Amino acid sequence: MPESLTPDRFQQATDAIIRSVTSVIDGKPQAVRSALVALLAEGHLLIEDVPGVGKTVLARAVAASIQARVRRIQFTPDLLPSDVTGVSVFNPATREFSFTPGAVFANIVIADEINRSSPKTQSALLEAMEERQVTVDGTSHALPDPFLVVATQNPLEMEGTYPLPEAQRDRFMLRISMGYPDAQAEALMLRQRDTENPLAAVRPVVSVEEVAALIRFARSVHVAPALEEYAVSLAQATRAHPDLLLGASPRATLQLVRAAKVWAALDGRGFVIPDDVTDLLVPVFAHRLIPSRSASGAHRSGDPVPQILDKVAASVRVPLAVR
């Protein structure tokens, strides 16, 4: 793939990734698209849902579609931070300490059931996700580029889970839920997986160098100043909303715009429109916000944050003629 991509070449490559992943994950186009957005916008993806709906399969299908170094970490209560980041080991022959990289040293890291490990181990990913490096014994070690964490977690009401701290949730660009498949997709799954695992047939369709070129192309997508102001206004509206104790951070605003660039590129456009921003508002903002107790009590049937974000979006003026 050449250094300078054309929109057609970008779409060919991204369509190939989407086809590869959907050969395993059927009936979940938005989840697949969101995973691709996180990869190309240089963010991280949090997949939250009940067990058995394909969270880990989606993460593994994305990883298998890219010819890059992939590591999977099964987060358990006895997992140590050094298992994630690495450790300095003393070599008796040289009488020196040498660094042994941990499982986080990969292009794609699958953090499976991240909220089953202790908060101490969860925090081992903070520096890696934000600064793309780890520091062990005072020495910083750079992580590979590109670098993507795809984490899965079960709902907090389930036994043996620990809530992710706000600082870590804020480092995930997108949070999505898989949901149950429809009847047709579930029946197809029964037929396809009766004799073989479809993941075994997935082969890389792009190299790590091609992914880097796709990322560079997505960065070049134009965002008009009016749209940047629109994203800032949405974030500020969450900070002032009476039903929210914690609004969106400046990092959330930045990641909303970055994700919108990829969203526009996937639609074949070289510029962002307001719909790109509003389409991503809930996946990018919802997991970072904390509703007030009164708002939570008024929405006992579920999470009130998506409904609050709908009201926020309706209250902020949409810019016109922003191309």
Side-chain angles (χ1 to χ4, degrees):
M1 184 177 293
E3 282 291 313
S4 180
L5 289 183
T6 64
D8 287 342
R9 289 284 288 153
F10 180 89
Q11 287 220 285
Q12 288 172 10
T14 53
D15 286 348
I17 298 173
I18 291 173
R19 284 195 302 271
S20 177
V21 178
T22 51
S23 68
V24 179
I25 302 292
D26 189 48
K28 299 293 177 184
Q30 286 299 99
V32 174
R33 184 179 172 111
S34 296
L36 188 56
V37 167
L39 173 66
L40 301 184
E42 299 180 281
H44 305 289
L45 178 67
L46 179 62
I47 310 174
E48 183 181 68
D49 218 320
V50 297
V53 294
K55 301 187 301 295
T56 304
V57 174
L58 172 61
R60 291 179 62 191
V62 172
S65 301
I66 298 167
Q67 195 171 32
R69 182 170 173 78
V70 179
R71 297 288 295 272
R72 179 185 178 193
I73 310 172
Q74 184 65 50
F75 278 72
T76 56
D78 59 347
L79 187 73
L80 299 175
S82 58
D83 297 328
V84 177
T85 60
V87 64
S88 293
V89 179
F90 183 71
N91 187 334
T94 62
R95 302 187 65 83
E96 293 179 348
F97 284 92
S98 60
F99 177 66
T100 301
V104 77
F105 282 82
N107 295 111
I108 298 179
V109 177
I110 302 173
D112 210 6
E113 294 189 299
I114 189 173
N115 60 336
R116 288 205 179 276
S117 66
S118 68
K120 183 177 181 180
T121 302
Q122 292 176 13
S123 66
L125 280 173
L126 289 176
E127 182 185 14
M129 293 174 68
E130 178 65 17
E131 302 176 36
R132 297 174 185 262
Q133 67 176 27
V134 297
T135 302
V136 178
D137 295 335
T139 303
S140 296
H141 306 271
L143 294 170
D145 188 34
F147 176 69
L148 168 71
V149 174
V150 181
T152 71
Q153 74 167 358
N154 296 321
L156 295 180
E157 293 78 10
M158 305 198 75
E159 186 176 354
T161 59
Y162 301 85
L164 293 180
E166 288 82 1
Q168 184 151 15
R169 291 205 308 269
D170 196 44
R171 281 163 168 78
F172 284 102
M173 175 176 280
L174 297 157
R175 182 191 66 178
I176 63 172
S177 295
M178 298 293 294
Y180 291 108
D182 58 34
Q184 183 178 1
E186 193 166 1
L188 179 63
M189 179 190 70
L190 293 178
R191 292 191 295 271
Q192 288 181 334
R193 304 190 185 187
D194 187 36
T195 57
E196 61 181 15
N197 182 358
L199 268 172
V202 176
R203 295 291 180 268
V205 294
V206 294
S207 67
V208 66
E209 292 80 11
E210 290 171 327
V211 171
L214 294 172
I215 290 172
R216 288 193 297 272
F217 180 88
R219 286 179 191 160
S220 68
V221 172
H222 176 67
V223 183
L227 266 180
E228 293 175 339
E229 294 170 4
Y230 179 54
V232 170
S233 297
L234 289 169
Q236 290 183 331
T238 65
R239 299 165 197 162
H241 200 283
D243 289 336
L244 293 173
L245 293 178
L246 180 67
S249 66
R251 181 191 288 119
T253 312
L254 176 63
Q255 294 190 343
L256 177 62
V257 173
R258 286 179 176 173
K261 286 185 174 186
V262 179
W263 200 262
L266 291 175
D267 283 343
R269 283 181 280 105
F271 56 92
V272 174
I273 61 175
D275 284 350
D276 299 325
V277 176
T278 53
D279 286 347
L280 289 162
L281 192 61
V282 171
V284 174
F285 275 10
H287 61 288
R288 309 166 192 265
L289 310 182
I290 298 179
S292 65
R293 184 173 298 180
S294 60
S296 298
H299 294 79
R300 291 185 180 144
S301 59
D303 183 6
V305 173
Q307 290 86 351
I308 294 172
L309 284 173
D310 288 341
K311 294 178 182 177
V312 166
S315 69
V316 176
R317 177 180 171 276
V318 179
L320 301 176
V322 297
R323 180 172 176 180

